[in-house]
């Protein structure tokens, strides 16, 4: 097959097609700033610097996707009044301060126009610059928050967990408002991003039950994805953690017949008995488990379960392999990932989540090199 | 024990597990007024209920919503029980123990920590929650300040496990190691590791944290 550009490769995979080779993303998102000698604290308000960093990381490591944004899980909540808190490298939401303390506060939420809110505007501009500079040949994605996780950031997680049982109607009306507003922000990337990745970490089964997922996550995320697809961009659903028990629903939010993807850690067969049970049910008792890599194997089950409907992304552990592993370990994990999930296309190899800024450059390079080496479709 | 009280105990256990706060408080009040001692209620209803809740969570029957609600129900019934306990031992209100709780430096995960807090408070501990991303020095300062019995640490990421160790080492450096018990938990931790780095106890979840904390202040079993 003729060599494709990165963009063609990613677009083909997102449509569940088979490109020239398995596309690869390093997810050196926060870390990209280190490549130009900046830090999140010094660059976050400067769209030019942010875009420059992402392009530099892409050039140094040679992957197929650049990602706009950095605090993707938190921007919507911050626009609606949540307080910023600087952890070492990441501006997160301070969950000790609650925007919604009682249901009356829902009526007083503010929804600034995305172009007018400084943080939202910077991310929109960053994506625009990436699209102008490299978007003709590299895929541009942006990270944003799913409505459910945004609601948790506004209410505090425990309050949300309580309210879903005690006052479900109130939760629905809150989620409805958040979804309307999120859609305004997410569709503002029209023409500036090829794909929109919805980060929804609280929706994983470590925190939310499948029953709750069905009621409080899926319908709102589906509406969001639908709007993103209608705006001409490709939605990527990222429930972050364990997807055992919610995998079908997580794939269902991608509009039928449209391109789209799922990306998560999917589950840890070493410490989560339910993940292991799921894996064995789908793949069979004979699966060979690698004690040093409890994540990759889940790809096999995920591809089998939902690979006919959505593109599957993952699943290299950002900590034990990318941060703490050696380049050889990274290579071996990439090879396993490709063996498990590349067949027939519809697969992008990448870490299971954003990587830690201290991840060694050699590991990012090893990731891309191994993908290029093992990932060629013949 | 009078058969009527035994019936209360069974019902109370069930309402705690089913997080029916109103009924649980009603049953607690009734049992206390009919002669049950606070200690009896704690050992025969509260602790067994926490255990059942923990098992339901482990097997995937309960999720976090249920844990939060159970934690709150526990907290509600512990109020009259503690007041009664105070009367029984002739003090205003007996304090089971004081805990300083924090997520360690570099780690911003707090969902699990907050649930553990609910359970600890629900079983009568006073908890000073310092939040996330807390350096060892600050945690220890606070523990000294409030005269805590236990320092409880949450750690979700393997890269931040060293910061749990920082707390142990800093305590040793300041000559304070014997003044506090250290309880640790969170996804990236386990019992063996916790022992190796010199923590006193590890627990898997909220109900486990209660059991561990009680044994650390000499109220186990
Ligand atoms: C939700 C979540 C987030 C949310 C956190 C929101 C919040 N306010 O807490 C957000 C999006 C902010 C987040 C960020 C990140 N996350 Co995160 N996150 C998760 C996720 C999906 C669920 C965690 C959770 O809340 N679980 C539910 C609670 C109830 O479980 P728990 O915390 O384990 O708590 C229970 C027990 O452990 C115990 N316990 C907890 N604390 C204590 C304390 C004591 C004293 C005791 C006795 C017991 C105890 O009791 C609790 C109740 O049962 C996990 C996935 C996973 N597989 O765990 C990843 C995960 C923890 N995150 C991970 C990573 C890598 C990150 C990021 C670095 C990603 C990134 N690059 O952006 C950042 C971290 C930034 C930082 N510096 O901390 C990794 C860690 C991997 C590792 N091996 O270290 C995980 C495992 C995902 C993965 N597989 O890659 N994350």
């Amino acid at each position: 097959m003729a060599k494709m550009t990165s963009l063609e490769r990613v677009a083909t995979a997102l449509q569940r097609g088979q490109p020239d080779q398995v596309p690869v993303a390093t997810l050196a998102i926060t870390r990209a700033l280190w490549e130009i000698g900046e830090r999140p604290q010094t660059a976050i308000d400067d769209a030019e610097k942010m875009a420059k960093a992402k392009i530099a990381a892409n050039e140094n490591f040679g992957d197929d996707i650049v990602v706009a944004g950095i605090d993707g899980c938190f921007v919507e909540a911050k626009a609606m009044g949540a307080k910023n808190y600087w952890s070492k490298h990441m501006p997160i939401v301070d969950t000790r301060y609650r925007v919604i303390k009682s249901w009356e506060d829902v009526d007083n939420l503010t929804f600034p126009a995305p172009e007018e809110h400084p943080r939202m505007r910077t991310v929109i501009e960053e994506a625009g610059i990436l699209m102008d500079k490299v978007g003709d040949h590299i895929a541009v994605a942006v990270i944003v928050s799913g409505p459910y996780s945004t609601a948790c950031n506004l209410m505090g997680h425990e309050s949300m967990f309580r309210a879903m049982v005690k006052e479900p109607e109130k939760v629905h009306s809150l989620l409805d408002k958040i979804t309307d507003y999120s859609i305004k922000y997410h569709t503002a990337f029209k023409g500036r991003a090829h794909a929109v990745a919805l980060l929804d970490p609280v929706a994983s089964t470590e925190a939310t039950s499948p029953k709750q997922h069905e009621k409080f996550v899926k319908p709102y995320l589906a509406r969001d994805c639908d709007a993103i697809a209608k705006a001409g961009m490709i939605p990527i659903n990222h429930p972050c953690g364990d997807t055992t028990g919610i995998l079908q629903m997580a794939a269902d939010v991608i509009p039928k017949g449209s391109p789209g993807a799922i990306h998560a850690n999917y589950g840890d067969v070493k410490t989560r008995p339910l993940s292991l049970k799921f894996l064995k049910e789908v793949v069979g008792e004979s699966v060979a488990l690698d004690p040093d890599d409890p994540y990759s194997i889940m790809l096999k089950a995920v591809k089998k379960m939902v690979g006919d409907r959505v593109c599957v992304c993952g699943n290299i552990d950002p900590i034990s392999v990318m941060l703490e592993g050696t380049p050889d370990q990274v290579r071996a994990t990439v090879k396993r990932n490709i063996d498990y999930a590349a067949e027939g296309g519809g697969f992008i190899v990448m870490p299971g989540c954003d990587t830690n800024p201290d991840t060694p450059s050699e590991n990012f390079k090893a990731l891309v090199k191994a993908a290029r080496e093992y990932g060629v479709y013949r | 024990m009078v058969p009527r009280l035994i019936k209360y105990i069974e019902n109370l256990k069930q309402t705690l597990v089913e997080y029916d706060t109103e009924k649980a408080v009603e049953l607690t009040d009734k049992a206390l007024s009919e002669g049950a001692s606070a200690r009896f209620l704690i050992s025969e209803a509260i602790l067994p209920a926490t255990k059942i809740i923990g098992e339901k969570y482990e097997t995937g029957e309960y999720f976090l919503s249920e844990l939060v609600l159970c934690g709150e129900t526990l907290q509600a019934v512990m109020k009259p029980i503690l007041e009664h306990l105070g009367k029984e031992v002739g003090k205003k209100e007996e304090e089971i123990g004081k805990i300083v709780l924090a997520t360690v430096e570099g780690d911003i995960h707090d969902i699990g920590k907050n649930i553990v807090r609910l359970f600890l408070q629900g079983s009568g501990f006073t908890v000073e929650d310092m939040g996330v991303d807390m350096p060892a020095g600050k945690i220890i300062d606070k523990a000294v300040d409030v005269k805590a019995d236990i320092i409880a640490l949450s750690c979700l990421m393997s890269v931040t496990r060293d910061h749990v160790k920082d707390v142990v080492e800093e305590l040793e450096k300041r000559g304070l190691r014997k003044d506090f018990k250290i309880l640790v938990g969170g996804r990236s931790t386990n019992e063996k590791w916790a022992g190796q780095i010199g923590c006193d106890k590890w627990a898997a979840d909220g109900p486990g944290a209660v059991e561990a904390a009680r044994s650390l202040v000499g109220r186990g079993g």
Side-chain angles (χ1 to χ4, degrees):
Chain A
M1 193 185 286
K3 197 167 155 49
M4 291 179 155
T5 65
S6 290
L7 175 60
E8 289 165 341
R9 195 172 289 144
V10 172
T12 306
L14 286 172
Q15 293 166 59
R16 297 189 320 284
Q18 181 174 301
D20 60 337
Q21 52 179 265
V22 173
V24 55
T26 57
L27 302 190
I29 303 175
T30 313
R31 159 56 187 269
L33 290 161
W34 274 244
E35 299 301 303
I36 59 164
E38 294 281 349
R39 292 295 176 267
Q41 285 86 339
T42 56
I44 187 149
D45 296 324
D46 187 332
E48 290 283 346
K49 275 188 195 167
M50 293 293 285
K52 191 174 156 206
K54 307 294 171 68
I55 293 171
N58 171 263
E59 281 170 356
N60 291 351
F61 305 138
D63 64 342
D64 295 316
I65 303 181
V66 289
V67 182
I70 169 168
D71 52 346
C73 305
F74 306 109
V75 172
E76 291 84 341
K78 285 180 197 168
M80 285 180 249
K83 274 209 179 110
N84 188 63
Y85 171 85
W86 271 102
S87 69
K88 191 167 166 209
H89 295 311
M90 178 69 77
I92 61 172
V93 159
D94 188 341
T95 46
R96 281 167 299 185
Y97 170 81
R98 282 159 193 194
V99 179
I100 300 174
K101 293 182 212 70
S102 72
W103 294 117
E104 283 88 76
D105 295 331
V106 175
D107 298 328
N108 303 324
L109 283 174
T110 53
F111 304 103
E115 297 75 13
E116 275 154 34
H117 183 264
R119 186 72 205 108
M120 286 184 162
R121 191 179 54 229
T122 312
V123 185
I124 296 170
E125 282 173 9
E126 182 196 347
I129 298 168
L130 291 172
M131 187 57 98
D132 282 347
K133 296 224 160 121
V134 299
D136 62 335
H137 65 288
I138 307 270
V140 178
V142 58
I143 43 174
V144 301
S145 173
Y148 177 73
S149 291
T150 298
C152 293
N153 280 328
L154 294 172
M155 286 181 61
H157 301 82
E158 311 98 88
S159 307
M160 181 69 166
F161 297 150
R162 176 193 315 114
M164 284 190 290
V165 176
K166 295 279 181 187
E167 295 167 291
E169 293 314 318
K170 303 272 192 203
V171 177
H172 282 300
S173 90
L174 170 66
L175 283 167
D176 225 22
K177 284 191 176 183
I178 293 177
T179 308
D180 288 343
Y181 182 53
S182 300
I183 287 174
K184 281 200 186 125
Y185 175 50
H186 302 167
T187 52
F189 290 95
K190 183 178 175 151
R192 296 179 171 104
H194 301 108
V196 178
L198 294 132
L199 317 183
D200 217 353
V202 193
S204 67
T205 47
E206 278 95 352
T208 300
S209 75
K211 273 190 206 140
Q212 290 172 334
H213 194 99
E214 186 171 14
K215 288 194 200 120
F216 300 101
V217 180
K218 190 184 152 193
Y220 301 98
L221 206 49
R223 186 146 74 81
D224 203 339
C225 287
D226 207 45
I228 290 166
K230 287 208 172 87
M233 296 172 287
I234 300 178
I236 300 174
N237 183 13
H238 178 70
C240 193
D242 198 340
T243 54
T244 310
I246 59 163
L247 188 59
Q248 298 288 2
M249 291 188 265
D252 283 346
V253 301
I254 306 295
K256 263 209 174 70
S258 301
I262 175 166
H263 172 225
N265 291 288
Y266 302 114
D268 169 347
V269 292
K270 210 158 103 184
T271 60
R272 305 265 304 171
L274 288 174
S275 310
L276 182 60
K277 190 164 159 257
F278 165 74
L279 177 77
K280 293 202 161 167
E281 271 165 18
V282 179
V283 184
E285 284 293 329
S286 63
V287 317
L289 298 179
D290 183 335
D292 295 330
D293 176 12
Y295 294 96
S296 296
I297 187 78
M298 284 298 281
L299 277 178
K300 212 168 166 161
V302 173
K303 185 79 190 283
K304 199 165 163 189
M305 290 279 280
V306 297
D308 59 335
R309 289 185 288 149
V310 291
C311 167
V312 172
C313 305
N315 187 20
I316 300 163
D317 185 19
I319 304 291
S320 69
V321 178
M322 291 306 295
L323 175 66
E324 297 171 340
T326 61
D328 277 343
Q329 241 172 302
V330 174
R331 284 176 63 80
T333 314
V334 171
K335 177 155 190 317
R336 267 197 302 273
N337 272 248
I338 288 174
D339 289 346
Y340 294 146
E343 201 185 321
F347 171 60
I348 306 175
V349 65
M350 61 176 79
C353 197
D354 184 13
T355 49
N356 184 294
D358 296 325
T359 306
S361 298
E362 301 75 57
N363 286 358
F364 287 122
K365 289 180 181 157
L367 164 62
V368 177
K369 192 156 173 270
R372 300 294 184 227
E373 217 174 291
Y374 300 123
V376 179
Y377 287 103
R378 294 178 209 282
Chain B
M1 189 55 53
V2 241
R4 203 175 38 233
L5 284 184
I6 293 177
K7 203 183 97 213
Y8 281 148
I9 288 294
E10 274 316 307
N11 285 346
L12 177 56
K13 250 192 334 206
Q14 195 181 342
T15 50
L16 287 172
V17 172
E18 288 167 2
Y19 47 85
D20 184 343
T21 307
E22 216 174 296
K23 209 147 163 225
V25 172
E26 197 187 301
L27 283 168
T28 305
D29 287 341
K30 260 194 197 151
L32 286 171
S33 71
E34 290 185 24
S37 75
R39 287 213 168 92
F40 175 76
L41 290 183
I42 292 174
S43 71
E44 298 307 311
I46 306 285
L47 292 177
T50 349
K51 222 173 183 157
I52 299 172
I53 294 162
E55 282 160 12
K56 284 186 185 287
Y57 179 64
E58 225 162 77
T59 54
E61 185 184 338
Y62 273 12
F63 280 78
L64 294 191
S65 275
E66 289 81 8
L67 284 195
V68 167
L69 292 163
C70 288
E72 288 175 351
T73 307
L74 285 172
Q75 214 165 337
V77 300
M78 273 314 273
K79 216 177 148 245
I81 292 180
L82 282 182
E83 275 165 18
H84 205 271
L85 189 61
K87 277 186 227 143
E88 283 167 32
V89 296
K91 276 188 259 163
K92 196 168 132 267
E93 197 174 290
E94 216 205 19
E95 195 178 86
I96 292 185
K98 202 173 248 173
I99 299 178
V100 165
L101 173 69
T103 302
V104 295
E105 185 170 4
D107 193 338
I108 60 164
H109 297 87
D110 67 357
I111 302 174
K113 169 189 67 74
N114 294 347
I115 287 176
V116 166
R117 185 193 62 221
L118 278 178
F119 270 82
L120 290 171
Q121 288 174 333
S123 56
F125 285 94
T126 310
V127 182
E128 187 80 40
D129 185 352
M130 296 183 72
V132 298
D133 190 19
M134 264 310 133
K138 277 197 186 166
I139 297 174
I140 295 169
D141 290 347
K142 176 65 93 185
V144 170
D145 202 36
V146 303
K147 300 195 177 65
D149 303 291
I150 298 173
I151 295 176
L153 304 169
S154 181
C155 173
L156 271 271
M157 299 195 298
S158 38
V159 275
T160 52
R161 293 202 307 193
D162 280 348
H163 296 306
V164 176
K165 222 158 122 190
D166 287 352
V167 177
V168 182
E169 286 171 3
E170 180 67 20
L171 277 174
E172 273 161 5
K173 220 165 80 194
R174 296 195 197 177
L176 296 172
R177 182 63 190 88
K178 287 203 179 67
D179 297 1
F180 306 103
K181 299 287 183 195
I182 304 176
L183 171 63
V184 66
R187 190 196 140 88
S188 70
T189 65
N190 59 55
E191 191 160 20
K192 190 168 152 219
W193 167 85
Q196 278 166 356
I197 65 157
C199 295
D200 297 295
K201 279 256 178 221
W202 173 88
D205 50 26
V210 170
E211 209 177 307
R214 286 182 61 88
S215 88
L216 286 176
V217 295
R219 287 179 184 259

